[in-house]
Amino acid sequence: MSRYDALFEPFTFKSGVTINNRIVMAPMTHYSSNDDGSISDAELRYYAERAGSPSLVITACANVTANGKAFTGQPAADRDEMIAGMKKLTGVIHKAKAKAVLQIHHGGRECPPELVPNGDIVSASDVDTSTGDAHARALTSDETEAIVQAFGEATRRAIEAGFDGVEIHGANGYLVQQFYSPATNRRTDKWGGSLEKRLAFPLAVVDAVKKAAAEAEQPFLVGYRLSPEEPYEPGITMADTYTLLDALVEKDLDYLHISMLDFWSKARRGADPERSRIEQILERIGSKVPVIGVGSLHTADDALKALETGVPLIALGRELVIEPHWAEKIRSGKEAEIQTALKLDDRERLVIPEPLWNNIISRPGWFPFES
Ligand SMILES: Cc1cc2nc3c(=O)[nH]c(=O)nc-3n(C[C@H](O)[C@H](O)[C@H](O)COP(=O)(O)O)c2cc1C
């Protein structure tokens, strides 16, 4: 009996996938796949070092079409040649007794021109890229439909590669969110024009993914990740997020993953600004769909306190980069030894691939460092 037992209770998703604790590895881009998007050895070593802690590993986001690639070293799920490498990845994760979920993604206007064929950046509407140094072209309706189908095809590949599920990346300003946001969707066809029509793309992606998932012979989960608010106007407000949540709870998903940098962050617009977003989201959806909470949870006590809000699962991102053995340490009563900041000479000891390390170092303030 330990005060942290609540973290180590098993959990079964609607689809029948069972996990043996409440800790999820948050999806994290590692910039370390091979140039063609196939899984690299460095990436396998990075996951092997960490997969013993969480019971569910959500991978770095994988692009579902060539024009959805947003990062150098991004894993790809856009063609069948990728399946062999993806199988190695599920092998590594399963060996550590965790379940493996592939995050499926299209970068839309966030894609740098040099990473997409012919520099042709696409989005819901004609908009600048988020950095403003290039322009994105509005997808035609047929192209939009093709991307919806590509999410389904990526799901089929995930099943063939032995994944236990997929997570639709509907967060952090990428294409799925670009279609929902009034800032980036100014279309007047069936994919935009009103709040309801802006929902069309996210919901079509869910339907295509669920259809592909239904073909799996083993229990296979489908989750959806969303960002609850955009900071700018016009942009997604909490009120808009409630509309999205209401639609998603009807879709029989295994979980909703609320992407935030701080689990306890408060609502800005369209909900009570005095209360945390997560609590208000939980009130809105009740127990209809399990929620994964995330954001700056470092210690065992942080995680326990987060679970007390009623979220059944918590995800750790940076913390698992810094401390690959987070859960093992708590389980063996060594929670005081959990490392919560990086040291400048930690890269090799922590099995952090060099491209990820270089990104961390070049963005001061992103990861905590010991002085
Ligand atoms: C290195 C790194 C890469 C990330 N890549 C992704 C990604 O591919 N997909 C995604 O949905 N979120 C991504 N995120 C966001 C994390 O999943 C998480 O929401 C965020 O880091 C907050 O959690 P934390 O405080 O536990 O790190 C990334 C975060 C980090 C630190």
Side-chain angles (χ1 to χ4, degrees):
M1 206 34 203
S2 131
R3 57 187 295 244
Y4 302 113
D5 282 352
L7 290 172
F8 296 100
E9 281 173 16
F11 183 83
T12 301
F13 293 96
K14 233 182 239 175
S15 57
V17 173
T18 296
I19 54 177
N20 57 25
N21 68 36
R22 303 307 180 99
I23 302 145
V24 173
M25 180 165 173
M28 278 184 289
T29 293
H30 43 54
Y31 315 92
S32 305
S33 300
N34 298 318
D35 286 345
D36 65 355
S38 59
I39 302 297
S40 69
D41 291 343
E43 181 177 4
L44 293 173
R45 285 194 293 276
Y46 162 81
Y47 283 110
E49 181 67 14
R50 291 167 170 78
S53 250
S55 59
L56 189 75
V57 172
I58 306 174
T59 66
C61 62
N63 53 296
V64 300
T65 60
N67 65 3
K69 181 170 179 172
F71 309 99
T72 51
Q74 178 168 9
D78 64 331
R79 50 204 201 280
D80 286 0
E81 298 99 274
M82 298 296 107
I83 295 173
M86 288 159 73
K87 269 189 188 154
K88 289 190 206 160
L89 180 54
T90 55
V92 158
I93 296 170
H94 288 156
K95 194 168 169 210
K97 306 262 179 299
K99 302 287 187 196
V101 167
L102 183 74
Q103 191 184 50
I104 49 178
H105 164 255
H106 189 297
R109 72 166 183 149
E110 299 288 329
C111 298
E114 64 277 12
L115 294 186
V116 294
N118 309 316
D120 183 25
I121 306 166
V122 295
S123 185
S125 294
D126 262 324
V127 282
D128 283 340
T129 54
S130 61
T131 49
D133 48 12
H135 198 72
R137 162 181 80 77
L139 287 159
T140 65
S141 190
D142 285 352
E143 287 172 327
T144 305
E145 185 59 46
I147 293 177
V148 168
Q149 296 312 321
F151 273 93
E153 281 289 281
T155 303
R156 172 185 60 76
R157 293 182 193 108
I159 295 167
E160 284 177 33
F163 278 95
D164 303 284
V166 290
E167 176 176 283
I168 298 166
H169 196 345
N172 303 356
Y174 297 109
L175 187 69
V176 176
Q177 184 175 325
Q178 288 161 31
F179 267 92
Y180 190 51
S181 172
T184 39
N185 185 344
R186 300 173 202 144
R187 301 177 74 97
T188 51
D189 63 357
K190 67 171 183 170
W191 303 108
S194 62
L195 181 68
E196 201 181 14
K197 285 182 169 173
R198 281 191 273 114
L199 273 175
F201 182 74
L203 297 182
V205 169
V206 171
D207 289 343
V209 167
K210 293 269 308 176
K211 190 165 169 231
E215 301 296 317
E217 283 164 14
Q218 309 283 337
F220 188 86
L221 63 79
V222 178
Y224 188 106
R225 191 171 219 225
L226 62 114
S227 295
E229 283 189 75
E230 287 173 337
Y232 36 79
E233 298 213 29
I236 294 170
T237 64
M238 281 295 287
D240 297 335
T241 290
Y242 287 154
T243 305
L244 175 62
L245 291 171
D246 292 346
L248 291 173
V249 296
E250 299 301 321
K251 292 288 178 190
D252 208 27
L253 291 159
D254 285 280
Y255 68 78
L256 294 172
H257 190 172
I258 312 300
S259 178
M260 290 187 292
L261 262 181
D262 174 6
F263 182 89
W264 298 104
S265 63
K266 294 199 167 122
R268 276 198 194 97
R269 292 174 286 136
D272 183 350
E274 300 300 316
R275 297 177 58 219
S276 74
R277 292 165 170 150
I278 197 79
E279 284 167 311
Q280 297 186 71
I281 287 172
L282 287 170
E283 268 171 25
R284 181 75 180 200
I285 62 177
S287 55
K288 288 184 200 133
V289 190
V291 167
I292 305 183
V294 67
S296 305
L297 303 171
H298 297 288
T299 65
D301 287 311
D302 291 346
L304 206 56
K305 194 167 161 230
L307 281 188
E308 281 164 11
T309 60
V311 297
L313 301 164
I314 54 124
L316 304 177
R318 288 165 295 182
E319 191 48 46
L320 281 181
V321 175
I322 299 167
E323 177 56 88
H325 303 290
W326 194 89
E328 291 100 309
K329 286 198 173 158
I330 299 172
R331 225 195 253 280
S332 56
K334 294 183 181 153
E335 62 275 356
E337 291 174 23
I338 285 179
Q339 192 179 328
T340 55
L342 289 171
K343 298 189 202 72
L344 277 170
D345 62 358
D346 263 348
R347 188 187 83 74
E348 283 183 34
R349 186 179 63 82
L350 296 177
V351 198
I352 298 175
E354 220 165 333
L356 173 57
W357 181 258
N358 292 340
N359 265 281
I360 292 172
I361 297 286
S362 67
R363 288 172 61 179
W366 192 21
F367 276 68
F369 271 88
E370 266 177 38
S371 45

